[in-house]
Amino acid sequence: MNSLVAIAYVPDTESKIKVGPDGSSIDESDVKWIVSPYDEYGLEEALKIRESKGAGTVTVVSVGPERVKTGLRECLARGADDAVWVDTGETKNLDALGVSKALAAVAKAATFDFFWFGQKGVGPDESLVGPMTAELLGLPHVANVVHLDVGEGKVTASREIEGAHEIVECSLPAILTAQKGLNEPRYASLKGIMGAKKKPIAEKKLADLDVPEADPAAAKARWRKLSLPAPRQAVKLIPADDPAAAAKELVRLLREEAKVI
Amino acid sequence: MSQPAPAPVDPLLTSPVKTLLSGDVPEDLVFPYPAIPADEKETVSAFLGSFRDFAKDHVDPARFDREHGIDAKVVRGLADLGAFGMIIPEAYGGYGFSSSAYCRVTEEIGRTDASLGILIGGHQSIGLKGLILFGTEEQKKRWLPKLAAGEMIAAFALTEPEAGSDAASIRTTAEYDAATDTFVLNGSKHWISNGGFAEFFTVFAKDVKLDAKDEHRRITAFVVTKDLGGVEPGPEEKKLGLKGSSTVPLELKNVRVPGSHLLGERGQGFRIAVEILNTGRTSLGAGCVGGSKRMIELAARQATSRRQFQTRIADFEIIRAKFARMVVNTYALESMVYLTAGLVDRGLADYSVEGACCKIFGTESVWQTINDALQIAGGNGFMEEYPYERALRDSRINMIFEGTNEILRVLVALSGMKEIGEGLQEVGRALKAPLSSFGILSDYAVRRVLRTLPAGRISRVAPALAPEGEAVARYAMACGRAVETILRKYGKGVLTKEYHHERLANVGIDLYASVAVLSRATSSIEAKGEEKSAEEIRLARIFIRGARHRVVGQLKDIDRNLDPDVTAVSETAYGALGYAFPYWE
């Protein structure tokens, strides 16, 4: 069984994010980039399916600038067979629909049973690209998968919903988005890292695909402004020797300083 | 981006430390600072990322310490990562890491957990190194793939209760039976790292039936695998630190070792042992780089968040001075380690002295850095909940094992003196004998680096660091003169002049660290310009200023000292078996 796995290459969750001089993008100068953790669950599941069936391929796909090749290389080191890089060239901050169209274009040229996504790309946290791609391809979509049983031409997926699990049966090929808990991603071994150097990364240009959103003017959504949360204030301790006085002081502070009541 | 491969060095060239001690700056060897080949950088960076992810999920140093062991699951995980096969050639299932790459990963392991460093370093740096260096094709094919996969863990078994630094005095015997081509080994080894679970041991024994001129030449090395029977590890030692690592005595009871397990030739064992140890010391220095970086991170977090007297303690100058010392020494150590590793990768044949310098400077520098970080943490530093006391305990053995820092200082000094001593014939001959016991490749004709400049000058240092460069050249020259004076004064007697050995070694280490720092900062200036290298220029200046003070002090003490008084004080203590000056008994 063949899988496609979409890979978002995102700022490390431990990076300190700075807003760039234009006020609508992040300053990328000191950012360390990582494969989005939810995508790792998707990749791991694809690898496990290939291993359990003893056949099939796992192809990782990423849409972005040159640096995403490092992320693809990392996925190859973990065991993916080959990779497709959609070079965004000069286009920055491609919107979710643009990314989905690019991925759908790659998928149309491939034969696959699964197309894996993370349930969201860490950073923008929009959870849009998986469902949009499913829509563009006219395929079924199951989000937030935490357990999967693969059957003949269909899968049974357990998905996490508010306070419960929902069991969904779905025909193949299908788009699945992976949630934490689905599996424990493996680490890239030295053997995998060395082997990855010999695996192919096919290159496509965004400009050559049918993605009108590549032109910022045509984008359906764009980042207007980015701002960091206000820095946390020092904790103010109110002495509680006299509870009544303390309560009064708390109300006063909430009203006059925090201005929340 | 591909850089041109670094030029190979002439293996016959003398070592940089020896050159420095004999008065010259080995510019051709130390400039430019080694660049990391792009392909290797990519591989190592990817592996470091993988290792860090693994460590974050599975490595809990406090637990290893508390539970006195690293769980089998972690060992298995490290094996799956490939951590046990880094230096094993690809042809035998390993990954063929260069010395630089191995050092970089060892640094990361040292930053993570010292017990993990023993597990992986004990396996590769010493446990299986003999097989790589001296094994036959057949032996390598037989064991290296399993060792690379971590299916077998290796250990190095030389030390015995009565044979520590004086390794030639081992008592374990190997009795050869020609009829069956079998050696029967009997004896006790102790303090064997990884011994509790290793299945592959590089064992050294006295080959009793071998005709030999002296005891050295009767020592033979063997591959002893657990399945031979009679290999019995004892209980785990109770140690000050490195509690996560395995350290056991090993009983060899009538172990029947087939001739096919002989490592190298009969009687070659001593040379094999010292060569294994000599090649492993650079990476120990790399582990110390990692430990130091970890401490600086912890201390910086502590100092910038802890407030006393309404002030961040980071803002007190007495704390700043500690940070400068930690950072500057770590920069110097890192510069020395990767310069040495780079030279090894370029083919320098004899780097025993540089490896010793990395080991001495690294182990003492990380000790001081941990001590500073612990001090910055104040009372918390003393508490078990914080990582400082464990780091302190874990790092103490560094100054003792793999050749005590004392023995290694003698090695550095005697090797340095040999260079000049060869000019003074009688002394040269005398120096040869004890040095051969360090396994120095003294058979190489030692050729002096051609002097293209008048002595005392140094031409390849960036202008911003010219005064520092000149100072280092001047002190190297002064050191060369001091060596000559010592040799003329004591002749053959120099062999036991350990007060001077210690001083010369200290000078050699400081000079070597200084040229490493000069080379690295110069390469940075050449690549990025002076402005963007301002911080590194600063580090170089601070380090070399300190080194100058120390070197001047040592050289003065070589000239005039109270050595006879020092001898007398020690004699009194030995005579009284303690402190002999009652005041209020």
Side-chain angles (χ1 to χ4, degrees):
Chain A
M1 286 180 131
N2 299 340
S3 290
L4 291 177
V5 184
I7 299 298
Y9 204 48
V10 301
D12 189 340
T13 44
E14 282 166 20
S15 298
K16 263 195 180 162
I17 299 295
K18 284 180 281 185
V19 177
D22 63 359
S24 64
S25 62
I26 64 166
D27 177 356
E28 295 179 355
S29 52
D30 290 327
V31 172
K32 196 185 142 224
W33 301 88
I34 58 165
V35 170
S36 180
Y38 297 101
D39 297 350
E40 292 184 352
Y41 302 125
L43 172 63
E44 177 65 28
E45 203 63 16
L47 295 172
K48 282 169 73 176
I49 293 169
R50 184 190 66 191
E51 282 159 6
S52 71
K53 301 287 166 197
T57 56
V58 174
T59 303
V60 284
V61 192
S62 192
V63 179
E66 174 100 32
R67 65 165 175 261
V68 307
K69 276 168 81 180
T70 311
L72 290 173
R73 197 68 74 194
E74 194 186 313
C75 297
L76 294 173
R78 289 187 194 215
D81 299 285
D82 55 2
V84 180
W85 167 42
V86 178
D87 180 2
T88 46
E90 295 300 300
T91 307
K92 287 210 165 67
N93 298 329
L94 186 65
D95 71 357
L97 186 59
V99 174
S100 305
K101 285 185 179 170
L103 290 171
V106 172
K108 277 176 194 159
T111 318
F112 62 94
D113 303 284
F114 298 93
F115 196 171
W116 285 98
F117 291 77
Q119 59 97 348
K120 65 180 180 183
V122 165
D125 285 358
E126 296 175 318
S127 300
L128 287 175
V129 177
M132 279 180 170
T133 308
E135 194 63 27
L136 291 167
L137 292 171
L139 290 177
H141 159 247
V142 186
N144 291 320
V145 176
V146 291
H147 181 78
L148 189 77
D149 289 313
V150 181
E152 273 308 312
K154 62 173 189 182
V155 288
T156 311
S158 171
R159 57 184 299 264
E160 210 170 66
I161 57 170
E162 190 70 42
H165 284 100
E166 197 175 67
I167 311 295
V168 179
E169 201 177 272
C170 163
S171 64
L172 293 177
I175 307 282
L176 304 172
T177 75
Q179 170 65 306
K180 189 179 167 128
L182 177 60
N183 51 43
E184 261 191 56
R186 68 196 66 189
Y187 308 94
S189 68
L190 256 179
K191 194 174 176 186
I193 291 165
M194 305 280 231
K197 292 179 186 177
K198 296 179 205 101
K199 293 180 180 172
I201 298 185
E203 301 189 2
K204 292 186 187 305
K205 298 269 180 223
L206 182 65
D208 299 339
L209 305 175
D210 182 19
V211 182
E213 289 75 9
D215 175 3
K220 304 287 188 296
R222 69 186 77 109
W223 289 7
R224 294 290 291 273
K225 185 169 176 287
L226 278 182
S227 59
L228 296 174
R232 230 187 309 167
Q233 301 286 320
V235 172
K236 195 167 273 184
L237 279 178
I238 303 168
D241 314 337
D242 176 357
K248 211 171 159 188
E249 175 66 2
L250 177 62
V251 170
R252 188 191 69 80
L253 288 171
L254 288 172
R255 193 177 185 85
E256 291 170 18
E257 287 195 10
K259 298 194 167 111
V260 292
I261 53 173
Chain B
M1 267 201 9
S2 69
Q3 284 111 346
V9 297
D10 179 346
L12 297 185
L13 273 181
T14 183
S15 85
V17 176
K18 289 188 211 169
T19 310
L20 283 162
L21 283 172
S22 50
D24 219 342
V25 178
E27 291 198 84
D28 292 343
L29 280 178
V30 299
F31 289 91
Y33 196 75
I36 311 154
D39 182 55
E40 182 158 75
K41 193 168 191 173
E42 194 187 309
T43 306
V44 171
S45 297
F47 185 57
L48 291 177
S50 223
F51 175 77
R52 280 189 207 111
D53 288 345
F54 175 82
K56 205 164 132 190
D57 298 342
H58 301 290
V59 174
D60 180 353
R63 191 163 58 86
F64 297 165
D65 186 63
R66 203 169 49 237
E67 294 175 4
H68 295 197
I70 299 173
D71 17 322
K73 198 184 153 206
V74 174
V75 179
R76 192 65 251 154
L78 290 166
D80 289 344
L81 284 179
F84 292 110
M86 290 184 272
I87 62 165
I88 295 174
E90 288 184 79
Y92 307 103
Y95 304 102
F97 271 21
S98 68
S99 179
S100 305
Y102 181 60
C103 280
R104 180 61 191 87
V105 177
T106 304
E107 176 191 325
E108 201 61 31
I109 296 167
R111 185 184 193 144
T112 309
D113 178 47
S115 289
L116 215 57
I118 296 298
L119 169 65
I120 298 172
H123 172 78
Q124 283 172 99
S125 294
I126 52 177
L128 59 78
K129 187 63 121 350
L131 179 57
I132 295 181
L133 294 175
F134 299 96
T136 62
E137 185 59 28
E138 200 190 327
Q139 290 172 329
K140 290 182 190 178
K141 274 192 187 141
R142 181 167 175 195
W143 290 300
L144 283 178
K146 282 183 192 151
L147 291 161
E151 287 164 24
M152 270 183 141
I153 300 293
F156 181 80
L158 172 64
T159 304
E160 297 179 6
E162 297 302 323
S165 291
D166 180 11
S169 62
I170 54 171
R171 292 174 183 177
T172 295
T173 55
E175 201 138 350
Y176 185 57
D177 173 21
T180 55
D181 185 28
T182 307
F183 294 86
V184 180
L185 266 62
N186 276 291
S188 321
K189 297 290 177 180
H190 82 162
W191 299 339
I192 307 307
S193 296
N194 289 348
F197 44 78
E199 291 184 51
F200 177 103
F201 298 84
T202 301
V203 174
F204 300 86
K206 282 252 156 87
D207 196 337
V208 287
K209 287 190 179 159
L210 186 68
D211 246 349
K213 271 195 284 182
D214 52 39
E215 288 305 287
H216 278 153
R217 280 171 248 221
R218 197 163 277 134
I219 295 174
T220 297
F222 302 92
V223 168
V224 173
T225 48
K226 199 87 168 276
D227 59 358
L228 292 175
V231 184
E232 298 172 10
E236 288 290 339
E237 299 287 353
K238 296 181 175 68
K239 297 168 289 190
L240 172 70
L242 295 180
K243 294 182 187 232
S245 70
S246 165
T247 311
V248 296
L250 191 71
E251 286 293 325
L252 300 164
K253 290 182 186 161
N254 289 318
V255 184
R256 296 185 61 81
V257 181
S260 61
H261 285 230
L262 181 66
L263 205 50
E265 285 163 30
R266 291 175 72 184
Q268 228 191 0
F270 193 75
R271 220 197 98 208
I272 292 176
V274 286
E275 195 154 333
I276 292 170
L277 292 169
N278 281 345
T279 58
R281 292 192 187 105
T282 313
S283 60
L284 181 52
C288 295
V289 173
S292 301
K293 289 182 179 176
R294 168 86 178 126
M295 283 296 123
I296 296 169
E297 285 162 19
L298 288 168
R301 259 181 238 153
Q302 166 72 14
T304 53
S305 61
R306 170 79 171 170
R307 300 181 79 86
Q308 290 286 275
F309 310 103
Q310 292 88 49
T311 311
R312 296 190 317 170
I313 65 168
D315 295 325
F316 294 112
E317 289 185 348
I318 217 159
I319 300 293
R320 286 188 196 280
K322 293 189 202 301
F323 273 94
R325 177 164 59 203
M326 292 191 286
V327 172
V328 165
N329 283 341
T330 302
Y331 179 80
L333 173 61
E334 184 179 54
S335 304
M336 186 197 272
V337 164
Y338 291 102
L339 172 64
T340 306
L343 286 170
V344 176
D345 291 334
R346 282 167 64 195
L348 187 71
D350 176 8
Y351 52 92
S352 52
V353 184
E354 289 67 30
C357 288
C358 290
K359 195 270 187 182
I360 299 169
F361 182 45
T363 59
E364 293 174 7
S365 167
V366 74
W367 173 253
Q368 186 177 39
T369 295
I370 296 167
N371 194 41
D372 278 341
L374 189 152
Q375 187 73 15
I376 290 165
N380 285 342
F382 197 66
M383 301 298 146
E384 266 185 26
E385 303 98 282
Y386 291 81
Y388 306 96
E389 61 88 31
R390 190 180 66 246
L392 195 81
R393 288 188 283 110
D394 282 351
S395 71
R396 186 58 187 84
I397 191 66
N398 283 338
M399 293 180 275
I400 300 171
F401 67 9
E402 304 274 309
T404 64
N405 287 12
E406 288 73 20
I407 281 275
L408 294 179
R409 279 192 160 88
V410 172
L411 161 73
V412 172
L414 290 181
S415 306
M417 285 197 272
K418 183 163 161 287
E419 204 87 328
I420 286 186
E422 299 221 314
L424 313 165
Q425 268 194 0
E426 173 221 24
V427 185
R429 258 198 309 276
L431 277 170
K432 225 167 182 167
L435 277 174
S436 68
S437 68
F438 286 119
I440 304 292
L441 306 179
S442 53
D443 316 342
Y444 282 110
V446 173
R447 204 199 310 154
R448 292 289 290 273
V449 181
L450 281 177
R451 273 188 196 167
T452 50
L453 284 166
R457 292 285 299 281
I458 180 164
S459 67
R460 294 174 71 171
V461 171
L465 289 167
E468 283 73 20
E470 272 163 35
V472 170
R474 210 164 50 240
Y475 290 121
M477 225 168 61
C479 178
R481 277 199 302 271
V483 169
E484 213 162 319
T485 310
I486 292 172
L487 288 173
R488 287 189 194 285
K489 186 164 169 190
Y490 300 106
K492 279 194 256 181
V494 77
L495 296 177
T496 56
K497 298 295 169 205
E498 291 185 359
Y499 295 133
H500 287 329
H501 296 169
E502 186 166 22
R503 292 173 185 130
L504 283 177
N506 289 342
V507 170
I509 293 164
D510 258 330
L511 290 176
Y512 186 45
S514 297
V515 295
V517 160
L518 283 173
S519 165
R520 180 163 164 206
T522 294
S523 287
S524 164
I525 293 168
E526 282 164 3
K528 297 188 288 190
E530 231 175 87
E531 205 177 312
K532 283 191 176 150
S533 305
E535 300 240 35
E536 286 188 60
I537 294 173
R538 204 174 276 144
L539 296 177
R541 284 189 182 145
I542 297 176
F543 181 78
I544 290 168
R545 186 183 164 84
R548 281 170 76 166
H549 287 319
R550 292 187 293 268
V551 167
V552 168
Q554 301 287 322
L555 290 176
K556 270 190 188 155
D557 280 355
I558 287 176
D559 205 26
R560 295 180 57 176
N561 53 57
L562 296 176
D563 288 352
D565 299 299
V566 173
T567 303
V569 170
S570 62
E571 272 306 324
T572 306
Y574 303 159
L577 286 177
Y579 181 74
F581 308 95
Y583 168 61
W584 196 334
E585 299 300 317

